[in-house]
Amino acid sequence: MLDLFADAKPWQEPLASGAVILRRFAFDAAPSLLQAISSVATLSPFRQMVTPGGYTMSVAMTNCGHLGWTTDQHGYLYSPVDPLTGAGWPPLPDVFVDLCQQAAIAAGYPDFHPDACLINRYNPGAKLSLHQDKDEPDLRAPIVSVSLGLPAIFQFGGLQRNDPLKRLLLEHGDVVVWGGKSRLFYHGIQPLKTGYHPLTADCRYNLTFRQAGKAE
């Protein structure tokens, strides 16, 4: 387990062309990030979304930012309104914006300005099937993904669903950034194993920052 190196400084692991894992990059900011997650969820509660095909997702989700990722009977979309509350999504907390921009710069994307953050909560057994992040209108912007709490196995493949997969352990504080040639690579999370983390108890949180609106 990477937590054996709890006192280690952050380091980088190349993942693919345009993609990198920033190990422990969010470790120090984690308590503030988790507090901000709680504040967002007070306004826009976590919910298990239903896909257009009628499947209830095992991962609980909410959003913050100008736009939020959601589903309806027609498909997947970004909306400025939370369909559960009828109000706009909570704004991006400053600690989110600061961490995301620092990570993007460290990964070689200095001009990334996210306007959406999808927050996923995984309980034991929850997973995210292989998929591409392709609902954004400008695919030149990268994805910044922050892991908090229990460890999980991250799957990272290629442009085709059946391309070979890398399976990588992501632990508390790790950040994955991908863009450029790997922007549309398939990725997912294997079912979360039961465990305990002192900051998140029996769950894992994931922050996924995107540029969901059109670039100015």
Side-chain angles (χ1 to χ4, degrees):
M1 302 289 286
L2 296 178
D3 275 344
L4 291 174
F5 304 97
D7 295 327
K9 293 181 179 180
W11 71 97
Q12 295 192 14
E13 291 180 12
L15 181 55
S17 177
V20 65
I21 303 177
L22 307 175
R23 295 289 187 187
R24 300 180 52 79
F25 194 90
F27 189 89
D28 290 342
S32 297
L33 295 171
L34 290 165
Q35 185 176 23
I37 290 172
S38 179
S39 296
V40 168
T42 298
L43 298 174
S44 284
F46 282 98
R47 78 294 306 262
Q48 289 173 274
M49 297 184 186
V50 178
T51 69
Y55 170 74
T56 299
M57 301 180 71
S58 61
V59 177
M61 299 178 173
T62 187
N63 292 272
C64 58
H66 178 64
L67 297 169
W69 186 88
T70 186
T71 65
D72 62 18
Q73 66 270 28
H74 303 296
Y76 306 104
L77 69 152
Y78 282 99
S79 170
V81 174
D82 179 349
L84 187 64
T85 67
W89 299 101
L92 284 167
D94 289 343
V95 65
F96 280 22
V97 175
D98 292 345
L99 187 281
C100 175
Q101 292 186 339
Q102 291 170 17
I105 290 170
Y109 298 96
D111 298 321
F112 180 47
H113 301 288
D115 56 10
C117 177
L118 173 62
I119 307 172
N120 292 337
R121 186 184 67 203
Y122 294 78
N123 290 105
K127 65 179 182 178
L128 201 60
S129 300
L130 283 178
H131 66 283
Q132 296 170 297
D133 288 341
K134 58 181 181 180
D135 297 320
E136 301 76 31
D138 188 350
L139 297 178
R140 295 172 297 178
I143 301 291
V144 174
S145 177
V146 181
S147 294
L148 301 168
L150 288 181
I153 300 298
F154 177 61
Q155 299 174 307
F156 197 71
L159 290 172
Q160 305 300 321
R161 183 180 293 274
N162 59 355
D163 283 344
L165 291 173
K166 295 179 180 179
R167 293 176 174 85
L168 306 120
L169 181 69
L170 295 181
E171 291 209 310
H172 179 67
D174 289 344
V175 180
V176 185
V177 183
W178 67 95
K181 292 182 179 179
S182 62
R183 175 61 177 76
L184 288 176
F185 278 16
Y186 276 88
H187 56 281
I189 292 288
Q190 292 185 354
L192 188 72
K193 293 185 177 180
T194 301
Y196 175 81
H197 191 279
L199 293 183
T200 66
D202 64 345
C203 68
R204 170 185 186 259
Y205 291 95
N206 173 244
L207 309 175
T208 304
F209 295 93
R210 295 106 179 256
Q211 181 183 303
K214 293 182 179 179
E216 297 181 359

